[in-house]
Structures are given as structure tokens and as C-alpha cells.
Amino acid sequence: ATLAAVAVSELGSESGVPAASTDEAAVPAAGETGARSARRAAEIDETYDDAGPLIALGTILVKAPAWPHGVGDPEEGLEVLQRAVEVSDYPLNRMMLGSAMIENGQKAAGCRELARVLSAPKRGRWAKTGQRFREKTQLLIRSARCPRSATAP
């Protein structure tokens, strides 16, 4: 599986959407309707479900083909994913941002973002859900071949 497939698969499992529908090839199919719905949800309450609308919108913008074939805009998608991390310091948000950064040529910054998932204190929400995200983040780090120095806790 590619780095994107691992991250997008996690997005699907967190949102309750069957993993098959979050296959990389299906992301562009979300297209305009998905982006419009996610944008509207973020306008209503960007904090809902740990910034879920922002994660959905950012992922669509990063993964979808660019105009004229789709609604993709990786630069805007990265900004939206960064906003999601600002709104909710939730492991999935950092994992999605780090993955998107790596896939869009920002490997050093992406690896540092992924390292934050691994180094976060194991208390509060990070204690409860953090372990599952730590395991997936380790897979992303290996897949991206992040330098050990960038991911050391």
C-alpha cells in the first residue's frame, strides 16, 4: 500500500465509512460534491468530530485531480489540514497532515509532523487512541523513509 492508501484508509475507518470506499482511486470520485459538503460542514462547525470536516476537505483537495479534471488543490489542502491540527490536536489530524506533506514534496516537515504523533505524551485522549495511531504512524514513517533524526522522540 502507498503512503496515501494507509492514511486514507485510516480516514475511512475513523469516519465509519467502509475502507473499500476510501481506496485511493475512489478519492477523486468524491470530487466536487464531497468537497462542497466538507466545506459546508466546516463552515457550520469546523471543530465537529475533532475537525473531521477539515480533515475530509483537506484530504479531498490534496488527493483529487486538479482543475479541469477535478477539484484538487494540494496547496489549499495542506492549509486546510494544518488548520485541522490547530483546531484539534488529535493523532489522526497530525498523521493526515504529515502524510500529505510528504506526498507533496515537504518530506522533512511531514516527517517531523509524524514524529509528533509518536512523541506525544500518553495521557488524556492521546493515551486512549494514541497507540493505534502510533502504530499506523510508524508504518507511514517507514514507508516514507523518514530519517531517524527527524522522528526521534
Side-chain angles (χ1 to χ4, degrees):
T2 66
L3 186 62
V6 173
V8 172
S9 161
E10 184 56 34
L11 176 63
S13 67
E14 278 298 295
S15 66
V17 176
S21 67
T22 57
D23 182 296
E24 259 184 288
V27 173
E32 191 175 330
T33 302
R36 188 173 39 248
S37 296
R39 214 178 278 282
R40 180 68 181 126
E43 288 169 4
I44 293 169
D45 184 3
E46 68 180 6
T47 67
Y48 178 74
D49 194 26
D50 292 303
L54 294 172
I55 290 296
L57 177 59
T59 301
I60 291 168
L61 293 172
V62 166
K63 299 290 175 199
W67 187 88
H69 304 290
V71 297
D73 183 340
E75 187 175 314
E76 181 185 0
L78 288 169
E79 290 172 10
V80 171
L81 291 170
Q82 181 61 51
R83 176 68 186 146
V85 167
E86 292 167 7
V87 166
S88 178
D89 186 21
Y90 186 62
L92 173 66
N93 298 357
R94 288 195 178 276
M95 191 178 80
M96 296 299 289
L97 174 61
S99 173
M101 290 173 130
I102 290 167
E103 294 214 356
N104 283 281
Q106 299 176 24
K107 182 175 178 176
C111 289
R112 284 191 303 272
E113 200 61 49
L114 293 174
R116 290 181 178 153
V117 176
L118 299 180
S119 65
K122 296 176 184 176
R123 61 178 181 262
R125 297 187 64 211
W126 282 79
K128 183 178 178 181
T129 59
Q131 186 56 38
R132 182 172 51 133
F133 290 109
R134 282 181 189 89
E135 292 166 7
K136 292 189 180 290
T137 299
Q138 288 170 340
L139 289 173
L140 290 170
I141 287 169
R142 281 194 300 274
S143 177
R145 296 188 174 104
C146 292
R148 195 160 188 63
S149 60
T151 59

